[in-house]
Amino acid sequence: MFEALSGKLNGVFDRLRRRGALSEADVSEALREVRIALLEADVALPVVKDIVNKVRERSVGQEVIRSVSPAQQVIKIVNDCLVEALGGGAPGTDGVEHVPGLSLNAAPPVAILMIGLQGSGKTTTSGKIALRLRTRDRKKVLLASLDVQRPAAQLQLETLAKQAGVTSLPIVKGQSPLEIAARAMQVARGELYDVVILDTAGRLSIDEELMAEVAAVKAATKPHESLLVVDAMTGQDAVNTARSFNERVGVTGIVMTRVDGDARGGAALSMRAVTGAPIKLLGAGEKLDALEDFHPDRIAGRILG
Ligand code: GDP
């Protein structure tokens, strides 16, 4: 992810560095190129405008142009603006500060609701989170599939649970998602699980039935985290999906998958501003250990690296 964007921004900055002293016109030209690079990376237009305006405001001050290394100053300002767009630095518009990773600070069993469209990587991510919680955080984890749409889905989660070394809720045919969720919570309370991961059914596109089902499961289980899984490769669609889910059912965080692919990265840069929800985790491969916390500063570093 971000390869093309990174290449283009570095080209802009190399040219700036070679100039030594910078005029306002040089900075304007660089900003024009930054704008094009962000648009080509599929960053949402309002986010592009916001980033470019902020960089302009902060770099037109005479201190930047007269400083010893003006190009370096401009790069630092762009870096800071990218960090902010990614949800870091100052608290977001909702006043919430970005905290990487999951927040599981609640009385056990803590429920994590996994939401997303079919194929986004929801079930794989459920397995990844289970593995991490078991091995890194020493939690007793129960995985439960509420997907009664695809017969193979419950078996897929059972297989992933085995790979992650955690328990999966025994499959009972004929139960509704709400019945399975209630059973999972009951087992978790009775058998003293720390965390229950509820993997809901996906659909090919957002529809009313999906939203109503997710909303009902959420109301019944009161999850501490409602994680929306989106595929970075789907670009602006991922952002639109997140906006709809957040408006309709409310999400506490986004997991962006397939960042190991050649996604342009615009979705990651647009997500916080457009949807209001923070990216918390990244899926960076098919294997169960390919899960990373989302650190806005490190991601900005990767883009400008
Ligand atoms: P679901 O329908 O949302 O539950 O999606 P799955 O978890 O079944 O994932 C669909 C496909 O995407 C599977 O082949 C996964 O191995 C693959 N996948 C999931 N996450 C990632 C990721 O972060 N990177 C890559 N390259 N593939 C992934």
Side-chain angles (χ1 to χ4, degrees), residues 153-174:
Q154 298 195 35
L155 290 171
Q156 186 193 347
L157 195 70
E158 199 173 79
T159 306
L160 283 170
K162 283 202 187 103
Q163 287 171 18
V166 305
T167 311
S168 59
L169 187 74
I171 298 171
V172 175
K173 289 215 170 90

Side-chain angles (χ1 to χ4, degrees), residues 234-293:
T234 62
Q236 286 301 308
D237 282 347
V239 179
N240 294 332
T241 302
R243 184 167 38 197
S244 303
F245 271 101
N246 198 30
E247 282 169 5
R248 185 63 169 65
V249 291
V251 305
T252 57
I254 312 267
V255 183
M256 189 166 274
T257 62
R258 296 209 181 83
V259 302
D260 50 313
D262 58 358
R264 284 183 277 181
L269 277 160
S270 313
M271 199 56 92
R272 184 63 194 252
V274 177
T275 72
I279 301 177
K280 292 201 163 180
L281 297 166
L282 297 176
E286 296 194 56
K287 295 220 182 95
L288 285 192
D289 60 359
L291 184 71
E292 299 170 10
D293 284 336

Side-chain angles (χ1 to χ4, degrees), residues 31 51-60 74 77-78 81:
L31 277 178
I51 293 174
V52 173
N53 286 340
K54 274 190 192 152
V55 177
R56 182 174 293 120
E57 272 167 29
R58 294 180 198 177
S59 52
V60 288
V74 173
I77 293 169
V78 172
C81 291

Side-chain angles (χ1 to χ4, degrees), residues 117-124 128 156 257-258 260 283-286:
L117 297 180
Q118 198 171 306
S120 59
K122 200 164 32 64
T123 305
T124 309
K128 288 178 178 180
Q156 186 193 347
T257 62
R258 296 209 181 83
D260 50 313
E286 296 194 56

